[in-house]
Protein backbone atom coordinates (compact mmCIF):
# COMPACT_ATOMS: atom_id res chain seq x y z
CA UNK A 1 0.00 0.00 0.00
CA UNK A 2 0.90 3.66 -0.03
CA UNK A 3 1.47 4.06 3.74
CA UNK A 4 4.47 1.67 3.91
CA UNK A 5 5.94 3.43 0.87
CA UNK A 6 5.51 6.84 2.50
CA UNK A 7 7.03 5.51 5.69
CA UNK A 8 10.09 4.14 3.85
CA UNK A 9 10.50 7.46 2.04
CA UNK A 10 10.19 9.52 5.23
CA UNK A 11 12.54 7.16 7.07
CA UNK A 12 15.13 7.47 4.29
CA UNK A 13 14.96 11.26 4.43
CA UNK A 14 15.24 11.29 8.22
CA UNK A 15 18.23 8.95 8.16
CA UNK A 16 19.83 11.05 5.47
CA UNK A 17 19.25 14.13 7.58
CA UNK A 18 20.96 12.53 10.57
CA UNK A 19 24.06 11.94 8.47
CA UNK A 20 24.03 15.34 6.75
CA UNK A 21 23.20 17.70 9.62
CA UNK A 22 26.16 16.96 11.88
CA UNK A 23 27.36 20.57 11.78
CA UNK A 24 24.82 22.03 14.20
CA UNK A 25 22.48 20.69 16.85
CA UNK A 26 18.82 20.34 15.90
CA UNK A 27 16.87 22.10 18.61
CA UNK A 28 13.58 20.87 20.04
CA UNK A 29 10.57 23.15 19.82
CA UNK A 30 10.45 23.73 23.57
CA UNK A 31 13.54 24.46 25.63
CA UNK A 32 13.80 22.56 28.93
CA UNK A 33 13.91 24.14 32.40
CA UNK A 34 17.64 24.81 32.14
CA UNK A 35 18.59 26.06 28.71
CA UNK A 36 21.27 24.30 26.73
CA UNK A 37 24.09 26.27 25.14
CA UNK A 38 22.45 25.58 21.78
CA UNK A 39 19.27 27.28 22.98
CA UNK A 40 21.15 30.14 24.59
CA UNK A 41 23.00 30.89 21.36
CA UNK A 42 19.76 32.06 19.68
CA UNK A 43 18.70 34.36 22.55
CA UNK A 44 17.87 37.88 21.41
CA UNK A 45 18.30 37.30 17.68
CA UNK A 46 16.39 40.05 15.86
CA UNK A 47 18.37 41.17 12.82
CA UNK A 48 19.61 38.48 10.40
CA UNK A 49 20.82 37.96 6.89
CA UNK A 50 19.64 35.02 4.81
CA UNK A 51 21.14 32.71 2.25
CA UNK A 52 19.59 29.99 0.13
CA UNK A 53 22.25 27.28 -0.03
CA UNK A 54 20.40 24.33 -1.49
CA UNK A 55 17.33 23.85 -3.65
CA UNK A 56 16.11 20.61 -5.21
CA UNK A 57 17.88 20.10 -8.54
CA UNK A 58 14.67 20.46 -10.55
CA UNK A 59 14.08 23.91 -9.04
CA UNK A 60 17.65 25.18 -8.71
CA UNK A 61 17.51 28.27 -10.91
CA UNK A 62 17.72 32.00 -10.26
CA UNK A 63 13.95 32.60 -10.43
CA UNK A 64 13.23 29.87 -7.87
CA UNK A 65 16.11 31.09 -5.68
CA UNK A 66 14.73 34.66 -5.70
CA UNK A 67 11.21 33.40 -4.99
CA UNK A 68 12.36 31.33 -2.01
CA UNK A 69 14.44 34.26 -0.71
CA UNK A 70 11.30 36.45 -0.79
CA UNK A 71 9.16 33.82 0.96
CA UNK A 72 11.84 33.14 3.58
CA UNK A 73 12.25 36.87 4.25
CA UNK A 74 8.48 37.37 4.61
CA UNK A 75 8.18 34.40 6.96
CA UNK A 76 10.99 35.79 9.12
CA UNK A 77 9.34 39.23 9.28
CA UNK A 78 6.05 37.62 10.40
CA UNK A 79 7.92 36.29 13.44
CA UNK A 80 9.59 39.58 14.33
CA UNK A 81 12.94 39.20 12.59
CA UNK A 82 14.47 41.98 10.51
CA UNK A 83 16.25 40.84 7.35
CA UNK A 84 19.31 42.95 6.60
CA UNK A 85 21.84 41.69 4.08
CA UNK A 86 24.51 43.98 5.56
CA UNK A 87 24.49 41.85 8.70
CA UNK A 88 27.14 39.16 8.48
CA UNK A 89 25.94 37.15 11.47
CA UNK A 90 23.68 35.69 12.49
CA UNK A 91 23.15 34.36 9.00
CA UNK A 92 20.22 32.01 8.43
CA UNK A 93 20.98 29.41 5.78
CA UNK A 94 18.01 27.71 4.10
CA UNK A 95 18.60 24.31 2.58
CA UNK A 96 16.33 21.66 1.09
CA UNK A 97 16.86 17.96 0.44
CA UNK A 98 14.56 15.66 -1.49
CA UNK A 99 14.27 11.91 -1.82
CA UNK A 100 12.09 9.84 -4.12
CA UNK A 101 10.81 6.31 -3.63
CA UNK A 102 11.68 4.19 -6.68
CA UNK A 103 8.28 2.45 -6.34
CA UNK A 104 6.46 5.80 -6.47
CA UNK A 105 8.59 8.38 -8.32
CA UNK A 106 5.81 10.97 -8.16
CA UNK A 107 6.07 11.12 -4.34
CA UNK A 108 8.78 13.35 -2.94
CA UNK A 109 10.02 13.58 0.64
CA UNK A 110 11.17 17.12 1.36
CA UNK A 111 13.43 18.08 4.26
CA UNK A 112 13.78 21.79 5.03
CA UNK A 113 16.63 22.99 7.23
CA UNK A 114 17.26 26.49 8.58
CA UNK A 115 20.79 26.69 9.94
CA UNK A 116 21.77 29.51 12.29
CA UNK A 117 25.38 30.53 11.60
CA UNK A 118 27.02 32.89 14.08
CA UNK A 119 30.44 34.23 14.97
CA UNK A 120 31.77 32.28 17.92
CA UNK A 121 35.13 32.09 19.61
CA UNK A 122 36.86 28.74 19.59
CA UNK A 123 39.08 29.05 22.64
CA UNK A 124 41.24 26.08 21.69
CA UNK A 125 42.19 27.93 18.50
CA UNK A 126 42.00 31.40 20.07
CA UNK A 127 40.07 32.44 16.99
CA UNK A 128 36.62 33.78 16.14
CA UNK A 129 34.89 31.73 13.45
CA UNK A 130 31.46 31.80 11.79
CA UNK A 131 29.95 28.40 12.53
CA UNK A 132 26.55 26.68 12.47
CA UNK A 133 25.17 26.87 16.01
CA UNK A 134 21.61 25.58 15.70
CA UNK A 135 19.32 23.97 13.12
CA UNK A 136 15.55 23.93 12.67
CA UNK A 137 14.16 21.11 10.52
CA UNK A 138 10.84 20.15 8.93
CA UNK A 139 10.08 17.07 6.83
CA UNK A 140 7.05 16.52 4.60
CA UNK A 141 5.87 14.30 1.76
CA UNK A 142 4.15 15.66 -1.34
CA UNK A 143 3.51 14.97 -5.01
CA UNK A 144 6.26 16.14 -7.37
CA UNK A 145 3.88 18.67 -8.96
CA UNK A 146 3.33 20.28 -5.53
CA UNK A 147 7.01 20.47 -4.54
CA UNK A 148 7.50 24.22 -4.88
CA UNK A 149 4.34 24.99 -2.91
CA UNK A 150 5.38 22.50 -0.22
CA UNK A 151 8.80 24.22 0.00
CA UNK A 152 7.04 27.52 0.73
CA UNK A 153 4.82 25.89 3.39
CA UNK A 154 7.74 24.13 5.04
CA UNK A 155 9.96 27.22 5.23
CA UNK A 156 7.02 28.90 6.98
CA UNK A 157 6.75 26.02 9.46
CA UNK A 158 10.49 25.89 10.14
CA UNK A 159 10.55 29.68 10.58
CA UNK A 160 7.65 29.43 13.06
CA UNK A 161 9.66 26.95 15.16
CA UNK A 162 12.73 29.21 14.98
CA UNK A 163 10.63 32.22 16.02
CA UNK A 164 9.07 30.34 18.94
CA UNK A 165 12.41 29.08 20.24
CA UNK A 166 14.04 32.52 19.96
CA UNK A 167 11.04 34.10 21.71
CA UNK A 168 10.96 31.49 24.52
CA UNK A 169 14.72 31.64 25.09
CA UNK A 170 14.76 35.44 25.00
CA UNK A 171 11.97 35.58 27.60
CA UNK A 172 13.62 33.08 29.94
CA UNK A 173 15.61 34.19 32.95
CA UNK A 174 18.44 31.69 32.36
CA UNK A 175 21.61 33.75 31.91
CA UNK A 176 24.24 31.31 33.14
Amino acid sequence: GQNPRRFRLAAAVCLGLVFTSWAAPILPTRPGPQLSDEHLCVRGIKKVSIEIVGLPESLDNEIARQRMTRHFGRALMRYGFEVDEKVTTPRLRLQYWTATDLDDPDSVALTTLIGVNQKVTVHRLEQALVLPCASFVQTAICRRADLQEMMIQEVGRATAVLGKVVSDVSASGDTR
Side-chain angles (χ1 to χ4, degrees):
Q2 192 151 359
N3 285 342
R5 237 184 265 144
R6 284 181 181 244
F7 176 78
R8 283 194 317 252
L9 190 57
V13 169
C14 290
L15 283 174
L17 181 61
V18 167
F19 293 111
T20 58
S21 66
W22 68 88
I26 298 174
L27 298 181
T29 305
R30 291 188 190 143
Q34 176 159 357
L35 298 176
S36 66
D37 290 348
E38 292 86 5
H39 279 99
L40 286 172
C41 80
V42 299
R43 172 183 272 146
I45 291 178
K46 296 250 186 262
K47 193 181 285 194
V48 298
S49 62
I50 60 177
E51 177 181 14
I52 310 298
V53 293
L55 293 175
E57 190 175 314
S58 63
L59 297 171
D60 196 359
N61 60 61
E62 193 55 35
I63 293 170
R65 194 169 289 278
Q66 288 173 1
R67 183 173 189 219
M68 290 314 302
T69 299
R70 274 193 317 276
H71 284 288
F72 189 24
R74 287 182 192 143
L76 287 164
M77 287 187 281
R78 273 195 305 275
Y79 292 97
F81 296 98
E82 180 185 342
V83 177
D84 182 349
E85 289 310 310
K86 294 177 188 140
V87 173
T88 55
T89 120
R91 185 163 192 81
L92 303 181
R93 297 178 53 144
L94 176 62
Q95 189 163 6
Y96 293 98
W97 288 276
T98 58
T100 305
D101 187 334
L102 295 177
D103 294 335
D104 186 9
D106 195 42
S107 286
V108 178
L110 173 70
T111 299
T112 305
L113 181 137
I114 298 175
V116 180
N117 287 25
Q118 299 189 78
K119 186 175 254 184
V120 297
T121 300
V122 178
H123 293 285
R124 181 179 56 78
L125 300 174
E126 296 181 8
Q127 188 172 4
L129 303 169
V130 176
L131 299 172
C133 296
S135 298
F136 298 86
V137 179
Q138 293 292 125
T139 300
I141 296 176
C142 66
R143 306 308 294 167
R144 185 166 302 283
D146 301 327
L147 180 59
Q148 195 164 21
E149 189 56 40
M150 183 59 71
M151 290 167 60
I152 292 166
Q153 289 176 20
E154 292 303 292
V155 76
R157 288 184 182 120
T159 303
V161 173
L162 167 66
K164 172 123 178 63
V165 170
V166 170
S167 175
D168 288 353
V169 170
S170 298
S172 81
D174 187 347
T175 58
R176 276 202 256 168

